[in-house]
Amino acid sequence: MVRPGVTVRPPVRTMNAVRLIWGWLGRQRTVRGFALASLVANVVIVVTGGAVRLTDSGLGCPTVPSCTDESLVPTKEMGAHGVIEFGNRQLTFVLGVLAGLTLLAALAQRPRRRPLVVLAALVLGVIPAQALVGMVTVWTDLNPWVVGCHFLVSMAVIAAAYTLWRRTGEPDGGTTASLPRPLRQLTWLVTVVAGAVLVAGTVVTGAGPHAGDADAKRNGLDLETVSQLHVDLVFLLLGLSIATWLAMRASAAPRTAVRAAIVLIGVELSQGLIGFVQYFTNLPVVLVGTHMLGACLVWLAALDVLYRNRIRTPAPSPVPDDALITERSAVAAAA
């Protein structure tokens, strides 16, 4: 029995274990590892979300957040569609756990790096918003515009998660331009056009088959017309990417930047080939799913090119107190 006024302290072993775990979380390798895992998971959920749509399982669980009005989980009568849709929903919790661990790791790091904490909190905060858009998707019976919005929000989360992962491997000092200004502007243009390609791709998806459910409505746009717009933007993106690569070579840009441009061109060519084949083979589900993964890779490659237009330098080390005292004494003696 504890006497009044006596403070009960945790066992020493428990405190030591907590310190060890907290110290492990704050390691540079741990923070970077969780950030990468969070990024990969956000790409995976885009692909699994595509699998839900491609298997007509979009309404496999017709209600949300429970699977049915009477059951939290799918029932035997719902078959594979219910399992696929419910399984994809559970991945949201995996995203939340990984984002939460990344935030904890950023908070545990010493010295604490405010940019990492802010970015980790942003990634974690957007996940509930993305889940809400998913709920609206079910409530609107897979409205194609809402489905497209769901995909684009995922692209925004991927951009934030990618930035977080890159920042975990950089210092917190100022930035120095690594490319001439016109070339930096060109990398921004490439990124903007890549975003436009993604938007156009969602419009094409909303006009075509694979709605996610046999009774789901389409956006009513002419598939051939919107597909042509999408292709035009893809060719524009490819041309700008090649121009960026040539300009980087001509301006003696860092090798990492030139390599990033080459990777982007390679990913775009691969994605374009998949897009043409799937269009002329009546959109087989395997190729459509691969095309969704390719969209994520194009987006990441474009972000990587954009990220190469500057170099972040280490922050200046603080002057030790004893050195500062010596300097002040010398100035006083000289006066």
Side-chain angles (χ1 to χ4, degrees), residues 13-30:
R13 290 183 180 179
T14 302
M15 293 297 296
N16 289 338
V18 171
R19 291 193 186 98
L20 285 174
I21 295 174
W22 195 248
W24 174 78
L25 280 173
R27 292 174 56 188
Q28 166 76 6
R29 185 178 299 179
T30 305

Side-chain angles (χ1 to χ4, degrees), residues 121-247:
L122 175 63
V123 173
L124 179 60
V126 175
I127 291 175
Q130 175 71 319
L132 178 60
V133 178
M135 291 181 182
V136 175
T137 301
V138 176
W139 292 334
T140 57
D141 295 328
L142 306 182
N143 181 290
W145 299 107
V146 180
V147 173
C149 180
H150 196 42
F151 173 81
L152 294 176
V153 173
S154 292
M155 294 300 102
V157 179
I158 287 175
Y162 172 80
T163 304
L164 171 61
W165 174 68
R166 289 303 302 265
R167 285 301 305 272
T168 59
E170 292 182 329
D172 287 332
T175 58
T176 302
S178 60
L179 301 174
R181 184 178 180 182
L183 193 47
R184 296 199 305 274
Q185 294 173 337
L186 186 56
T187 62
W188 274 104
L189 182 59
V190 166
T191 308
V192 171
V193 174
V197 168
L198 294 176
V199 173
T202 63
V203 176
V204 173
T205 299
H210 305 309
D213 187 80
D215 298 325
K217 296 180 180 179
R218 303 284 72 203
N219 59 26
L221 300 177
D222 181 67
L223 180 59
E224 185 175 349
T225 301
V226 293
S227 296
Q228 185 61 55
L229 173 62
H230 181 55
V231 170
D232 292 341
L233 287 172
V234 169
F235 277 119
L236 175 60
L237 176 61
L238 180 60
L240 289 172
S241 301
I242 295 174
T244 301
W245 171 59
L246 293 175

Side-chain angles (χ1 to χ4, degrees), residues 52 112 159-160 243 265 315 318 335:
V52 171
R112 183 174 294 168
I265 294 170

Side-chain angles (χ1 to χ4, degrees), residues 53-69:
R53 180 171 57 83
L54 294 170
T55 57
D56 286 336
S57 303
L59 295 177
C61 287
T63 63
V64 66
S66 61
C67 195
T68 68
D69 292 332

Side-chain angles (χ1 to χ4, degrees), residues 46 92-93 98 179 297:
V46 171
T92 302
F93 296 102
L98 289 174
L179 301 174
L297 297 181

